[in-house]
Amino acid sequence: MDPRRWPFSRQVLAVLLLLVAVVLAVGCGGSLYLLRQQAAVESRNRSLDVARTLAEDDAVRSAVTAASDADPLPNAQLQDGPMQREAEAVRTRTGALFVVVTDDRGLRLAHPNPALLGRRVSTDPTQALAGREVVTDETGTLGASARAKVPVYAPGSARVVGEVSVGVGAAAVADRARDALWPALAVAAGALVVGLVGADVLARRLRRLTHGLQPEELGGILQAHDAVLHGIAEGVVSLGPDGRVVLANAEAARLLGRPVPAGSTLEDLPTAVRHVVDQPPAVPATAVVGDRALVLSARRVERNGRLLGHVVTVADRTDVELLTRQLDAVRAVGEVLRAQRHEFANRLHLVSGLLETGRASEAGNYVRTLLATGPLGWRVEGLDAVADPYLQAFVAAKAAHARERQVVLALGEVSVAGRVADPVDVTTVLGNLVDNAVAAAVGSAGARVEVDLVQEGSDLVLAVSDSGDGVPEGLRDSVFEVGVTTGDEGHGIGLGLVRQVARSRGGDAWLAPAVPGQGAVFVVRLPGALTPVHAVEVS
């Protein structure tokens, strides 16, 4: 089977085993080489020590001097001589391969092979006979050896009369290296077993961490993950089983109003996120984070029955809420217009009937009565000053709703000569302010809401005041933030949308300074919300 087709964990195991084997082979080879070198050095030193000891022996020095000064002795005499016995005794005690003694002519006076006594040595004795100690690795009649050659001096003289050559065989060196190698091999075998176990544990660990997926599968998942994570319009935060952030896209950081770096804990995230993770709802939950209304949802991620973490999705509901309020404003105007149409039809039918029966005087009185009331049968103070029919109808609708809650809605200062250029933004802002004011005025003495509409060029300045208790001092600085509400009925979104709409047009919304004994006064500037007066005149 092609190893490239093996599972990734098996490939890792094979590579680790190969690596361990190579390391052990190199280590053992290096150790063997060092052991052999050390054994060779020790053998050279040992041969040198034995040769020095024998060369400094007084009996040896005397015997060699006598042999050098006389004619060469026959082999038989040398075999029974004291020099041969002494050399063999030393060789036996030290375990040397050979102990050879020569005179100054290089003739053997002692040798392990008695047949060679009296003959010239097979290796060059020149340097030793010249008074220099020599340690070499050579091959002689007894084979390869580490040998030391030491000069023998005449007693009481510096004259060289011979040499002592001691050798330690290469087999002895190899035996010593082999004896030292066995413990090293045992350690290597133990290390190999430990490596096998460690490699298997690591391979199993990798298999668990990757959930049995192969590298090419992980690469495909990563590509798909990046495409999905950064290609969607929603914020996504992935949490591990320990509650730490694994990853988050840029949209999540933007919506949550803070960086969401990998490794941050669940406690570093907004409270709303922690809540949906701790108690995932069956449906997405609406929460307020910073200046945005968000829809949060959390889902558990499991594989083979094991919890892998949670995925939190974050969607911006601020725009949806804005559109909802705008739709409510449009619906309110439509309802008022339908009610007005129905009411006007009834009034016209009555006027027509009076005229057809010749009761013109009563018809005139009825028309004059209608002129003194609002479009739906009651009078709205100051409504006649509103020139724009769209705005007039919207104010009338809000007045009708306020009247249902026992609140009087009246117009204060009105100086709007132009027409509304952006009815949706105007009604969204005005509708939210009036709704909040009516809710604040309900139950107060002389429940009343007053609306001021002032035109400055193409800008519309709105001021809405109520007879309620006003904004608590602790909320004055944060009342426009999404999520902050001054009453039990609100959701903390309306005023945030008012400021958002105003600032999107280059204007702003603010809370006027508190006046003791009076309710709250909210002021909004909407640039470009009206058609300038001169433009109306030209048309």
Side-chain angles (χ1 to χ4, degrees), residues 407-423:
V407 177
V408 176
L409 187 147
L411 292 175
E413 180 183 356
V414 178
S415 62
V416 179
R419 296 296 181 88
V420 174
D422 194 339

Side-chain angles (χ1 to χ4, degrees), residues 353-395:
L354 291 174
L355 292 176
E356 288 179 356
T357 59
R359 302 164 67 179
S361 176
E362 294 181 10
N365 292 333
Y366 179 68
V367 171
R368 284 189 291 273
T369 301
L370 292 180
L371 293 177
T373 63
L376 294 179
W378 59 84
R379 183 171 183 78
V380 179
E381 299 179 25
L383 187 60
D384 294 339
V386 179
D388 183 82
Y390 192 92
L391 189 58
Q392 186 182 65
F394 185 76
V395 172

Side-chain angles (χ1 to χ4, degrees), residues 73-93:
L73 297 175
N75 179 273
Q77 188 176 352
L78 291 175
Q79 291 183 17
D80 295 331
M83 192 70 264
Q84 175 69 3
R85 292 194 296 271
E86 178 65 17
E88 283 299 295
V90 171
R91 184 179 68 83
T92 302
R93 288 197 304 269

Side-chain angles (χ1 to χ4, degrees), residues 13 16-17 194-207:
L13 178 61
L16 290 177
L17 291 180
V194 173
L196 287 172
V197 175
D200 183 65
V201 170
L202 180 59
R204 293 176 182 271
R205 174 66 174 169
L206 287 175
R207 188 162 52 248

Side-chain angles (χ1 to χ4, degrees), residues 180-508:
L181 181 62
W182 285 116
L185 291 176
V187 172
L192 181 60
V193 172
V194 173
L196 287 172
V197 175
D200 183 65
V201 170
L202 180 59
R204 293 176 182 271
R205 174 66 174 169
L206 287 175
R207 188 162 52 248
R208 285 195 301 269
L209 290 176
T210 60
H211 303 284
L213 297 177
Q214 301 305 309
E216 58 275 10
E217 295 175 322
L218 292 175
I221 291 175
L222 179 60
Q223 292 178 355
H225 157 272
D226 286 342
V228 172
L229 183 65
H230 301 290
I232 62 177
E234 295 182 347
V236 177
V237 180
S238 176
L239 301 171
D242 57 353
R244 292 188 175 273
V245 175
V246 178
L247 54 90
N249 60 3
E251 185 66 12
R254 186 184 71 85
L255 294 178
L256 295 178
R258 67 184 69 186
V260 189
S264 56
T265 63
L266 191 58
E267 287 69 22
D268 298 330
L269 300 177
T271 305
V273 178
R274 298 199 297 270
H275 178 72
V276 298
V277 172
D278 294 338
Q279 298 178 350
V283 295
T286 302
V288 177
V289 178
D291 61 347
R292 295 182 179 276
L294 304 178
V295 177
L296 303 174
S297 62
R299 293 291 182 270
R300 291 169 57 90
V301 180
E302 297 181 353
R303 184 181 178 88
N304 299 328
R306 184 161 64 96
L307 176 64
L308 303 181
H310 294 82
V311 174
V312 179
T313 56
V314 185
D316 191 356
R317 191 184 175 186
T318 307
D319 295 337
V320 176
E321 188 66 26
L322 177 60
L323 293 175
T324 302
R325 296 302 179 95
Q326 293 172 347
L327 181 59
D328 290 343
V330 174
R331 184 182 295 113
V333 173
E335 291 176 354
V336 171
L337 292 177
R338 284 194 297 271
Q340 288 181 349
R341 177 180 177 277
H342 181 72
E343 185 67 18
F344 289 157
N346 291 336
R347 293 172 180 178
L348 288 176
H349 289 160
L350 179 56
V351 172
S352 176
L354 291 174
L355 292 176
E356 288 179 356
T357 59
R359 302 164 67 179
S361 176
E362 294 181 10
N365 292 333
Y366 179 68
V367 171
R368 284 189 291 273
T369 301
L370 292 180
L371 293 177
T373 63
L376 294 179
W378 59 84
R379 183 171 183 78
V380 179
E381 299 179 25
L383 187 60
D384 294 339
V386 179
D388 183 82
Y390 192 92
L391 189 58
Q392 186 182 65
F394 185 76
V395 172
K398 289 300 179 182
H401 292 161
R403 184 180 180 86
E404 293 174 358
R405 304 189 66 179
Q406 307 302 315
V407 177
V408 176
L409 187 147
L411 292 175
E413 180 183 356
V414 178
S415 62
V416 179
R419 296 296 181 88
V420 174
D422 194 339
V424 175
D425 282 356
V426 172
T427 54
T428 297
V429 171
L430 184 57
N432 277 289
L433 293 180
V434 170
D435 289 344
N436 288 348
V438 170
V442 170
S444 63
R448 180 182 177 86
V449 173
E450 186 171 300
V451 179
D452 295 328
L453 303 171
V454 179
Q455 180 173 0
E456 295 180 358
S458 62
D459 295 356
L460 175 62
V461 179
L462 307 173
V464 179
S465 60
D466 61 72
S467 59
D469 297 331
V471 178
E473 190 63 30
L475 297 179
R476 294 186 65 86
D477 295 335
S478 59
V479 69
F480 284 100
E481 294 182 5
V482 177
V484 177
T485 179
T486 58
D488 298 332
E489 300 180 10
H491 300 286
I493 297 178
L495 291 177
L497 293 177
V498 167
R499 173 170 280 182
Q500 182 179 353
V501 171
R503 289 184 173 177
S504 67
R505 302 182 65 90
D508 204 352

